[in-house]
């Protein structure tokens, strides 16, 4: 069983930055592929970024490519999402997710409770 707790959300002006963190319990954290998703009001949840368990390969949605960076610190059981050049359309609840695999996948077994990110224009 893995528990995920997100933090770092908040209110920021357009063009600003935020860094989300997701702390995980359960071992071994290093064997889990981790993802970030978001859900805006009235919209479906969408993929944002993911990082694999072994070599730490990263993958991004086109809408955030070049602005967001996903990283992980296996010693701290934490995955991060650095968000730069934020836009109002990035406003959403952000969730982290985990699955025990070495590959990118669309199926995740564990989810956090979410953290709100609001970008004002």
């Amino acid at each position: 069983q893995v528990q995920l707790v997100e933090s770092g959300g908040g209110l920021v002006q357009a063009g600003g930055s935020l860094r989300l963190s997701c702390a995980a319990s359960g071992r071994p954290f290093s064997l889990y592929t981790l993802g970030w998703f978001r859900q805006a009001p009235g919209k479906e949840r969408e993929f944002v970024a993911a990082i694999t368990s072994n070599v730490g390969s990263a993958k991004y949605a086109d809408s955030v490519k070049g602005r967001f960076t996903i990283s992980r610190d296996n010693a701290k059981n934490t995955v991060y999402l650095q968000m730069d050049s934020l836009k109002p359309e990035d406003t959403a609840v952000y969730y982290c997710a985990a699955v025990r695999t070495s590959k990118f996948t669309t199926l995740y077994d564990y989810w956090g409770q979410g953290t709100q990110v609001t970008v004002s224009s």
Side-chain angles (χ1 to χ4, degrees), residues 3-87:
Q3 291 185 325
L4 304 170
V5 180
E6 302 97 334
S7 61
L11 174 64
V12 64
Q13 288 188 332
S17 298
L18 280 176
R19 188 195 197 200
L20 304 183
S21 300
C22 176
S25 65
R27 297 178 180 179
F29 178 79
S30 61
L31 296 184
Y32 287 80
T33 285
L34 304 162
W36 285 98
F37 293 77
R38 67 186 182 187
Q39 186 166 20
K43 295 187 177 181
E44 294 186 352
R45 185 171 60 195
E46 65 174 0
F47 168 78
V48 175
I51 186 165
T52 60
S53 62
N54 46 6
V55 298
S57 298
K59 184 177 182 180
Y60 299 92
D62 288 343
S63 59
V64 307
K65 203 171 293 183
R67 300 188 298 120
F68 290 10
T69 303
I70 189 171
S71 62
R72 63 189 297 161
D73 185 337
N74 289 337
K76 295 183 177 180
N77 281 17
T78 301
V79 60
Y80 305 98
L81 185 68
Q82 177 67 41
M83 305 186 296
D84 299 318
S85 302
L86 282 162
K87 305 175 181 179

